[in-house]
Amino acid sequence: NPIQLFDPLEHALSAAFGVDRGVEAAAEAMAYGWRHWDRIAAFTNPAGYLYRVGHNHALKQARHPIRLPRPADNIVDHRQI
């Protein structure tokens, strides 16, 4: 069952990439693991495989970070109205 792998996977990826990126990478790896568990369960080291899935995701995010648009300069701060 892949749910048993989540905490150790999250800790390992957070140690490698920082908490924010590690948690996201672990979540992506677990989502992949759930979709493909029938195949991954037969692997010699399913936890290691999912670690690599998360690792690759974190590296991809580091190379191609999501860039949010800059806020417009003319946004009204409604707290000051």
Side-chain angles (χ1 to χ4, degrees), residues 6-78:
F6 182 72
D7 284 341
L9 185 62
E10 185 179 52
H11 292 148
L13 289 166
S14 292
F17 294 102
V19 174
D20 292 339
R21 189 165 286 148
V23 168
E24 179 184 342
E28 288 293 325
M30 290 304 296
Y32 181 88
W34 277 109
R35 288 191 309 270
H36 302 281
W37 188 246
D38 56 332
R39 181 174 56 90
I40 295 170
F43 291 176
T44 303
N45 186 359
Y49 183 82
L50 291 178
Y51 176 83
R52 289 304 299 183
V53 170
H55 186 270
N56 290 341
H57 175 79
L59 290 178
K60 181 179 176 184
Q61 291 301 313
R63 285 191 301 268
H64 306 289
I66 297 171
R67 301 198 191 282
L68 299 175
R70 289 186 39 203
D73 294 330
N74 59 354
I75 291 179
V76 176
D77 185 354
H78 294 287

